[in-house]
Amino acid sequence: MPKNILNTIKLPADLRKISKEKLPQLAQELREFIINIVATKEGHLGASLGVVELTIALHYVFNTPEDILVWDVGHQAYGHKILTGRKEIFHTNRQLGGISGFPKRSESEYDTFGVGHSSTAISAALGMAIASKLKGEIDKQHITIVGDASIASGMAFEALNHAGVTDTNLLVILNDNAIGIDPSVGALKNYFTKVKLNGAKESDNIFEALNFNYSGPIDGHNLELVISELERLKTVSGPKLLHIITKKGKGLKQAEENQVVYHAPGKFDAITGNLAPKNTEIQPPKFQDVFGKTIVELASQNEKIIGITPAMPTGSSLKFMMDVFPERAFDVGIAEQHAVTFSAGMATQGFTVFCNIYSTFLQRAYDQVIHDVCLQKIPVIFCLDRAGIVGEDGATHHGIFDLAYLNCIPNLIIFAPRNETELRNIMFTAQLGLDLPIFIRYPRGRGSILDWQKPFKKIEVGKAVVLKEGAEIVVLTLGTVAKNTLEAIASLTVSQQEKIGLVNMRFLKPLDEKLLHQIFKKYKTIITVEDGTVIGGLGSSVACFAAANHYKNQIEILGVPDVFPEHGTISELQEIVGISSKKIKQTLQKYL
């Protein structure tokens, strides 16, 4: 049995001492290592398996970290992390206190730029390349690895457009596997397909037209060929693009055949590749599935309903509508800005548009929300999935800012359902017709109700709901943290419980000011709880209301403090920021 090579590599300098003939064995070992860890610890699988050969070739040919690698998104950087000093701690990936699931500058000098959202890498690498030129570092290489789904995004095109008029040592590697998290879409995807089938004609090459020296497409799993081409490109001046063809999930049969499922499959058998058995007990639904099934139900009754998502049909469960009403549901690719303004355009023509975007990704379309939607009072219905703390994906993916960044914009409605029923009912209410755009934010994961598909009921806009009356203290909650608060109150003594009231605010905007006046007159202490930043959200709005109306009550605001929470389980992170049921109980006890 040949000696294990991976165990001899601590850093890329060790890798570069290995003969080329032994690199295919190393690729096999690296694949097996990734599979074995992710099988038990979970994480992103398919993307990293697809770039094993490329990762080895990059660190073999280039003098990292002096030469700079920038990975776009970072789903595919597990092999990179393992080869750059983190093999022994890789089992802590995405766990509280462990390494990040994405490249992170504070973690390693080999992680040259923090990533997590797509399409940023070419801009960052170009900035680094021009900086190197200004410093006289003319031999320094700058390489960015971008997927075929990411390169279709507007920001990537902006960077390509700029790079094409520079004379920099920039190499863009287009990792073309025809899939991001879901299959790639759009005209550029069709172009790549044509190039792979027919070869790239000089007169019909989009990258040559942008002044890039184009080469490829080549087999990204042929290590010898990839190394040879990278060594050649080191000697070519100016911006270059290498088009490589890879298979997402390479080396694990199920991951190759079920690329959407095995993007982040959860636990699975490392030998067979089979997914861990599903829990057969009946569970409450995921909020994304409540959205997906409800929009199909509503669209069956309302032919004006349209569904739009930027590259997340499976993650958002808009896939349900795409299967039933394919002509009325659109995946526009990794293009959040376009998704928002495209939605606005359709809404001006009398359609009822549901635009489903992860909370963290709506940040990428902030100007479009203001300029193209709210300023014009166009009643798009935004459904913000993965709002609040999302868990193991960490700082780049937490949806904790939406309440604050939306709250300051005029002409909109903000609603956070506390359970599945409220999500269904607000979707029903919104499609009946509103005068303003509405933003409905809900968390990642499951709800709490088994029998959730009940007849629709209209919700009165701006109306909060009193869940429990009290005598001295009232807790105002927004969204699903009402569950944590109910648990906290239930864990107190009966006499303590009688002192505490609970209000499900539901709407951050407009606030139920009529009820707030009653609350401030009745209770001496007001505690707000939200799965979002303490700056700019529910607590801030309640404090502003108190100040404007000269109330002197004690107010305490619970939420995410002024930090970027790291990665960990949702329950671990809620405990750290102070919105777990245990922490809410401790806050209540201070005032009892």
Side-chain angles (χ1 to χ4, degrees):
M1 186 174 179
K3 178 185 174 184
N4 185 289
I5 300 172
L6 183 60
N7 289 340
T8 68
I9 297 172
K10 303 297 182 190
L11 293 169
D14 303 318
L15 167 63
R16 293 191 275 270
K17 296 173 186 174
I18 296 169
S19 65
K20 289 182 183 177
E21 294 74 32
K22 292 183 178 179
L23 293 181
Q25 179 189 331
L26 174 62
Q28 178 65 24
E29 292 171 4
L30 184 54
R31 268 202 179 86
E32 289 174 358
F33 187 86
I34 293 170
I35 289 169
N36 286 330
I37 294 286
V38 179
T40 57
K41 300 295 183 180
E42 303 188 24
H44 295 104
L45 180 68
S48 286
L49 293 182
V51 294
V52 163
E53 287 84 6
L54 175 62
T55 304
I56 291 170
L58 287 168
H59 284 292
Y60 194 78
V61 171
F62 294 101
N63 186 32
T64 55
E66 283 74 23
D67 288 335
I68 291 176
L69 296 185
V70 183
W71 296 87
D72 201 78
V73 187
H75 290 145
Q76 72 274 45
Y78 285 6
H80 160 81
K81 291 203 170 202
I82 293 162
L83 294 175
T84 55
R86 287 164 278 185
K87 175 175 174 285
E88 301 306 320
I89 57 171
F90 191 72
H91 64 279
T92 70
N93 184 42
R94 303 173 82 244
Q95 295 176 23
L96 186 67
I99 64 172
S100 170
F102 301 92
K104 187 176 181 182
R105 292 183 70 221
S106 61
E107 190 176 290
S108 170
E109 65 179 333
Y110 291 90
D111 291 1
T112 59
F113 201 75
V115 292
H117 294 183
S118 89
S119 315
T120 62
I122 304 175
S123 296
L126 178 60
M128 295 170 181
I130 291 177
S132 294
K133 191 173 180 183
L134 291 172
K135 291 191 288 184
E137 299 169 347
I138 57 174
D139 295 325
K140 192 167 189 171
Q141 303 289 325
H142 310 82
I143 308 97
T144 177
I145 304 92
V146 186
D148 56 287
S150 295
I151 206 166
S153 178
M155 185 175 177
F157 264 99
E158 292 169 20
L160 289 169
N161 184 53
H162 181 190
V165 294
T166 68
D167 182 21
T168 52
N169 278 343
L170 175 69
L171 170 60
V172 176
I173 296 178
L174 170 59
N175 175 31
D176 183 359
N177 58 20
I179 187 168
I181 294 175
D182 282 281
S184 300
V185 296
L188 198 61
K189 177 260 183 87
N190 294 339
Y191 169 76
F192 292 148
T193 301
K194 186 174 75 170
V195 167
K196 283 181 276 192
L197 292 173
N198 305 323
K201 298 175 183 175
E202 286 291 321
S203 61
D204 189 30
N205 188 295
I206 190 170
F207 300 110
E208 294 280 3
L210 289 167
N211 291 330
F212 272 74
N213 186 317
Y214 174 90
S215 57
I218 65 170
D219 179 0
H221 300 301
N222 184 331
L223 245 175
E224 184 179 357
L225 178 59
V226 175
I227 288 173
S228 172
E229 189 60 13
L230 290 178
E231 286 177 337
R232 183 187 74 80
L233 287 167
K234 278 176 74 172
T235 67
V236 176
S237 62
K240 308 162 284 276
L241 187 137
L242 172 60
H243 187 173
I244 72 168
I245 309 302
T246 62
K247 181 176 279 289
K248 189 171 183 177
K250 176 74 173 177
L252 187 67
K253 185 169 180 287
Q254 287 90 333
E256 293 182 19
E257 294 174 352
N258 301 288
Q259 294 175 333
V260 173
V261 172
Y262 281 80
H263 171 74
K267 288 184 170 64
F268 63 94
D269 187 306
I271 297 172
T272 66
N274 294 331
L275 296 177
K278 287 187 176 179
N279 187 340
T280 54
E281 86 177 81
I282 299 174
Q283 294 177 283
K286 292 180 179 179
F287 276 94
Q288 67 184 62
D289 290 342
V290 174
F291 162 81
K293 292 176 181 178
T294 301
I295 195 171
V296 170
E297 198 175 336
L298 293 171
S300 300
Q301 303 163 10
N302 182 349
E303 63 183 18
K304 292 289 187 180
I305 287 179
I306 300 291
I308 294 169
T309 189
M312 290 294 164
T314 301
S316 70
S317 292
L318 188 67
K319 186 77 167 60
F320 297 158
M321 184 177 180
M322 295 173 82
D323 290 341
V324 180
F325 300 109
E327 73 286 355
R328 290 162 56 191
F330 302 89
D331 174 5
V332 300
I334 302 176
E336 293 84 4
Q337 294 174 308
H338 166 61
V340 170
T341 305
F342 174 54
S343 298
M346 291 203 79
T348 65
Q349 300 306 302
F351 284 93
T352 302
V353 182
F354 284 82
C355 183
N356 190 304
I357 302 182
Y358 287 11
S359 169
T360 186
F361 297 151
L362 186 66
Q363 294 162 188
R364 296 159 63 94
Y366 193 57
D367 181 62
Q368 286 69 28
V369 167
I370 294 173
H371 181 274
D372 300 340
V373 177
C374 297
L375 181 62
Q376 304 181 70
K377 297 185 180 179
I378 298 174
V380 177
I381 303 162
F382 289 93
C383 292
L384 307 190
D385 199 336
R386 274 51 166 194
I389 289 172
V390 298
E392 291 84 354
D393 279 343
T396 58
H397 281 60
H398 292 312
I400 56 176
F401 303 109
D402 54 10
L403 295 175
Y405 71 65
L406 293 170
N407 199 14
C408 61
I409 305 173
N411 300 345
L412 56 74
I413 300 164
I414 304 170
F415 182 93
R418 78 177 178 96
N419 56 32
E420 302 93 311
T421 303
E422 286 195 344
L423 175 54
R424 272 175 62 77
N425 286 338
I426 195 64
M427 290 176 66
F428 169 74
T429 302
Q431 60 88 44
L432 292 175
L434 295 170
D435 295 328
L436 296 173
I438 184 169
F439 293 78
I440 305 164
R441 54 110 64 178
Y442 49 90
R444 180 185 184 186
R446 296 187 181 277
S448 55
I449 302 172
L450 291 175
D451 183 22
W452 60 275
Q453 285 183 296
K454 294 184 176 174
F456 292 114
K457 292 182 181 177
K458 186 176 180 181
I459 289 175
E460 184 180 343
V461 173
K463 182 75 171 172
V465 175
V466 177
L467 299 179
K468 181 183 180 301
E469 294 284 359
E472 298 175 9
I473 303 165
V474 67
V475 185
L476 311 181
T477 64
L478 189 67
T480 55
V481 286
K483 182 173 181 285
N484 293 3
T485 307
L486 283 165
E487 290 172 358
I489 294 171
S491 67
L492 297 168
T493 66
V494 174
S495 61
Q496 288 175 324
Q497 291 180 33
E498 289 173 352
K499 296 178 181 179
I500 302 167
L502 177 60
V503 176
N504 170 28
M505 293 301 294
R506 304 200 296 186
F507 292 90
L508 174 61
K509 202 166 189 177
L511 280 173
D512 189 341
E513 294 195 355
K514 181 180 177 183
L515 183 59
L516 282 178
H517 280 296
Q518 296 171 15
I519 286 167
F520 273 87
K521 289 170 183 174
K522 177 178 179 180
Y523 297 96
K524 65 179 183 180
T525 301
I526 290 98
I527 300 169
T528 66
V529 188
E530 58 200 301
D531 190 3
T533 57
V534 294
I535 299 173
L538 174 65
S540 293
S541 290
V542 171
C544 286
F545 170 85
N549 292 281
H550 310 293
Y551 289 116
K552 307 297 184 185
N553 309 55
Q554 174 80 42
I555 299 174
E556 178 147 355
I557 300 170
L558 301 184
V560 179
D562 193 22
V563 298
F564 287 103
E566 294 293 345
H567 46 279
T569 65
I570 290 174
S571 58
E572 286 171 337
L573 297 175
Q574 287 189 345
E575 181 78 8
I576 289 169
V577 303
I579 58 172
S580 64
S581 58
K582 178 183 171 184
K583 291 292 187 181
I584 295 169
K585 178 183 178 180
Q586 290 174 2
T587 300
L588 288 169
Q589 288 174 325
K590 288 195 309 186
Y591 298 101
L592 289 168

